[in-house]
Amino acid sequence: MTAQPHEHNIISFRKLAAVWATLLVLTAATIAVTRFDLGGLKVIGALTIACTKAGLVIAFFMHMKYENRLLQILLFVAVVTLAIFIGLTFFDVLYR
Amino acid sequence: MSTAEDGRLMAERGFWTDTGKTGIGAWIFSTDHKRIGLLYFYSVLFFFLVGVILGLLMRIELMAPGRDIMGPQTYNALFTLHGVVMIFLFIIPGIPGAFGNMVMPIQIGAPDVSFPRLNLFSWWLYAIGAVLVLTSLFTGGGAPDTGWTFYVPFSAKSATNVSLALFGVFVLGFSSILTGLNFVTTIHRLRAVGMTWSRIPLFTWSLYATAWVQILATPILGITLVLVIAERMLGTGLFDAARGGDPIMFQHLFWIYSHPAVYIMILPAMGIISDIIPVFSRKPIFGYKMIAFSSLAIAAAGSLVWGHHMFTSGMSDTAVLVFSFLTFIVAIPSAIKVFNWVSTLYRGSISLDPPMLFALAFILLFSIGGLTGLILGAPATDVHVHDTHFVVGHFHYVMFGGTGFAFFAAMHYWLPKFYGRMYRKRPAVIAWCLMFIGFNVLYMSMKVLGMRGMPRRYYDYLPEFAQLNLVATVGSWILAAGLAIMLVNLFRGLFRGEAFTGNPWGGATLEWSTTTPPPTLNFIKEPVVTHGPYDFKALADDSPDGMPGDGRNQ
Ligand code: HEM
Ligand SMILES: [Cu+2]
């Protein structure tokens, strides 16, 4: 196997640990949000936290922050596609 | 022509004589895209015939009112199996897996696909998925009875072996994704010198658009199926309204994939037609850029119209409006293609060889199917014909009259190239004639029955529908007879017909410039592309590889 050697993206242990801790805090936040009666905001709150967590995982654990432009654009396209699909689906629920 | 003679001797049987491995191993472990293409071809053809037999059995049951040859549960299993086999084992993998693999790398002047081993793996996944689906028939609670759409809540409750069938389809999805991945990479990276984007044959263009749909939409099907399995095994309640779930969400998720999937079925078929029409009209294609562009437009816009399957589901009225509007938009790029094909024919020098006849049938049948699709895309009319035989008639026109006939066109157009032998044309024309007649008798009757209110997926019907059902069943026999003649004639030709080496149809795309059958790495000399895919004038002026440009009169 002749994988390209990665020179620049060895993330320090400290940084990884910080991300991990943030994820834990956000998980706690997810549970905390359910305790309050936020009405419609509840869904938005939960989704915001979830998206932030997913973003952190992708950026650091999956190295996307250090990858080249093309890969980032491709990921972006995939995410936008998914957002459109989910958006149109929610659109139905919203007006039902 | 001494160069032609040399080439002929060097590549007597082309890739067929490539003997790294022997016996069946030379096929099921081969990474040659042509062998994988043929593997796919015979696999999908096998399942097509299985599906046809199931269809004929259903038609016999519907021949007369009341119970004829089977009870309701068997009928339910039959239409489910027929649907699953035809959709997931024949028509989705069909053209990309078989003809895409066989032809596309040669069309762009590549020695193979980018990831040959992944390509082989995708066939293996196909085989494994197929075995799983078939196993589900004889194990657990017996053959699934949900219809190919696996709608909840029934699919979550049915005592039949739905889970295994779902898992089989899940595996088949991965096979499709790998094919898509391979094709996108190959088309981007492996084009020969001079094969610019505007010289790519339209069949390859259509595979490119299809590949993106395969990559982006198929994972959603996979996830959806896993959710239903979870619902069955773990009782997650995701789709159970009583527990806060939403059964309509399943329909959304299912159709987010399955509507784009109809473009996975039809786009490559349109590509075949775009390649065949100019060759048999001896004219460059009309509107090359628009056809290529409309493939991409269909792929993109077609991904946003899934809701038109759900007008009667209880979805919100606003969503109904939006999805109906979007559906009408997709009709535009589809119509662009039809007009371009017809304009290509206009004042062409048309020869009615079998591939052309199938292509012409495609245009008519696809147009009928497409236009009846608009009746279903308009909510006001859809409410009346939803879940009737009108829908069954409609999608057979598009999928069978469209993609099926394009598949037959491709068989008659490309397979001789790979076998180096030609079939007899007269029986092929007779078969085409029978199929065309039988097809319309069968499915037009179904459409009329549907408009008069006969629902789909029932093994019985009211007595007033008897006459037309009998007509439809007779039509299915005419169709089957044509199909049998076509296959016997074609394979007899491929295995024992007259050998040829040139360019039997006078095609200007690269696959016709290499030796017949093509050598293992497709070209003896690396090709350099100097003209467009439908530039028949340039073809007559210079014949690449010393092959005769137009072998029509050989
Ligand atoms: C001789 C050929 C064929 C015959 C006689 C035939 C006949 C039928 C019949 C009688 C039904 C069931 C109608 C009902 O009760 O709902 C059906 C359903 C269906 N057919 Fe075919 N068919 C043929 C070929 C094909 C082909 C080539 C395809 C696809 C490429 C196809 C795809 C389907 C699908 C997806 C369904 C729906 C299954 C479901 O309701 O879940 N059929 N066909
Ligand atoms: Cu659709």
Side-chain angles (χ1 to χ4, degrees), chain B residues 472-494:
Chain B
T473 301
V474 172
S476 75
W477 295 336
I478 303 176
L479 177 60
L483 199 57
I485 298 175
M486 179 189 86
L487 291 176
V488 169
N489 176 59
L490 181 71
F491 286 111
R492 194 192 249 170
L494 294 180

Side-chain angles (χ1 to χ4, degrees), chain A residues 28-45:
Chain A
T30 312
I31 298 168
V33 172
T34 60
R35 307 275 155 126
F36 302 105
D37 187 14
L38 298 174
L41 286 178
K42 202 179 209 161
V43 176
I44 296 177

Side-chain angles (χ1 to χ4, degrees), chain B residues 255 258-259 262 305-306 308-309:
Chain B
W255 289 111
S258 293
H259 186 83
V262 310
V305 301
W306 72 83
H308 60 214
H309 296 272

Side-chain angles (χ1 to χ4, degrees), chain A residues 84-85 88-89 92 95-96, chain B residues 220 246 252 303 306 315-316:
Chain A
I84 294 174
F85 286 163
L88 268 172
T89 309
D92 161 34
Y95 286 94
R96 213 184 276 166
Chain B
I220 301 178
D246 183 2
H252 274 298
S303 298
W306 72 83
M315 184 172 67
S316 80

Side-chain angles (χ1 to χ4, degrees), chain B residues 48 51-59 62 75 78-84 86-87 90-91 146-150 265 388-389 392 395-396 399-401 403-404 408 442-443 446 454-459 472 476 479-480 483:
Chain B
F48 170 69
V52 165
I53 290 169
L54 297 170
L56 292 172
L57 287 175
M58 280 191 286
R59 273 322 316 173
L62 293 176
Y75 189 83
L78 280 197
F79 71 66
T80 304
L81 189 58
H82 172 79
V84 170
M86 284 299 196
I87 298 281
F90 168 55
I91 208 157
T146 59
W148 80 278
T149 48
F150 299 113
M265 305 169 200
T388 67
H389 261 67
V392 183
F395 65 67
H396 281 94
M399 295 195 298
F400 192 179
T403 311
F408 304 147
L442 168 59
Y443 295 115
M446 285 201 187
M454 176 170 158
R456 70 189 275 206
R457 294 178 171 170
Y458 281 85
Y459 89 119
S476 75
L479 177 60
L483 199 57

Side-chain angles (χ1 to χ4, degrees), chain B residues 460-473:
Chain B
D460 196 10
Y461 47 81
L462 298 174
E464 66 246 42
F465 299 133
Q467 220 165 20
L468 267 181
N469 268 304
L470 182 61
V471 171
T473 301

Side-chain angles (χ1 to χ4, degrees), chain B residues 42-350:
Chain B
Y42 283 104
S43 323
V44 297
L45 188 68
F46 170 76
F47 283 108
F48 170 69
L49 293 176
V50 170
V52 165
I53 290 169
L54 297 170
L56 292 172
L57 287 175
M58 280 191 286
R59 273 322 316 173
I60 293 175
E61 168 55 38
L62 293 176
M63 192 160 69
R67 183 190 168 119
D68 298 313
I69 58 167
M70 65 183 83
Q73 187 59 25
T74 313
Y75 189 83
N76 293 349
L78 280 197
F79 71 66
T80 304
L81 189 58
H82 172 79
V84 170
V85 164
M86 284 299 196
I87 298 281
F88 295 112
L89 294 176
F90 168 55
I91 208 157
I92 289 182
I95 294 177
F99 292 106
N101 264 323
M102 260 187 261
V103 178
M104 184 274 283
I106 316 187
Q107 276 200 330
I108 60 170
D112 206 309
V113 291
S114 284
F115 309 115
R117 275 187 254 173
L118 211 57
N119 203 15
L120 179 63
F121 185 49
S122 97
W123 180 80
W124 273 96
L125 285 178
Y126 171 85
I128 293 168
V131 168
L132 287 175
V133 169
L134 292 184
T135 312
S136 76
L137 303 179
F138 309 108
T139 52
D145 57 353
T146 59
W148 80 278
T149 48
F150 299 113
Y151 270 18
V152 293
F154 183 65
S155 64
K157 296 200 179 107
S158 170
T160 57
N161 202 355
V162 177
S163 301
L164 191 59
L166 287 171
F167 186 65
V169 174
F170 177 79
V171 173
L172 289 171
F174 278 96
S175 155
S176 190
I177 295 173
L178 292 186
T179 301
L181 213 57
N182 228 331
F183 284 9
V184 167
T185 323
T186 307
I187 294 170
H188 271 281
R189 311 288 303 185
L190 293 188
R191 280 172 292 134
V193 177
M195 179 54 73
T196 56
W197 283 96
S198 59
R199 281 186 187 154
I200 295 181
L202 287 166
F203 177 54
T204 296
W205 259 115
S206 71
L207 287 171
Y208 180 73
T210 308
W212 276 112
V213 182
Q214 286 176 299
I215 296 172
L216 288 173
T218 316
I220 301 178
L221 175 76
I223 293 166
T224 311
L225 300 180
V226 170
L227 289 181
V228 178
I229 296 177
E231 185 94 357
R232 286 176 67 85
M233 305 243 164
L234 311 171
T236 48
L238 269 170
F239 303 124
D240 183 356
R243 286 190 280 162
D246 183 2
I248 297 182
M249 186 171 78
F250 172 83
Q251 296 191 21
H252 274 298
L253 290 171
F254 182 81
W255 289 111
I256 287 176
Y257 167 75
S258 293
H259 186 83
V262 310
Y263 296 110
I264 299 179
M265 305 169 200
I266 200 69
L267 278 173
M270 292 169 154
I272 290 172
I273 304 307
S274 308
D275 264 15
I276 287 180
I277 298 265
V279 170
F280 294 88
S281 313
R282 303 313 288 165
K283 251 182 83 194
I285 188 101
F286 184 88
Y288 171 89
K289 289 221 166 101
M290 277 319 272
I291 295 187
F293 161 77
S294 62
S295 288
L296 298 174
I298 290 179
S303 298
L304 305 176
V305 301
W306 72 83
H308 60 214
H309 296 272
M310 304 165 55
F311 289 159
T312 61
S313 69
M315 184 172 67
S316 80
D317 288 346
T318 325
V320 167
L321 201 75
V322 171
F323 279 121
S324 171
F325 173 72
L326 290 171
T327 301
F328 275 76
I329 291 202
V330 196
I332 297 171
S334 310
I336 288 181
K337 285 189 194 270
V338 173
F339 286 128
N340 278 322
W341 293 324
V342 176
S343 311
T344 308
L345 290 169
Y346 181 64
R347 305 191 102 183
S349 160
I350 294 173

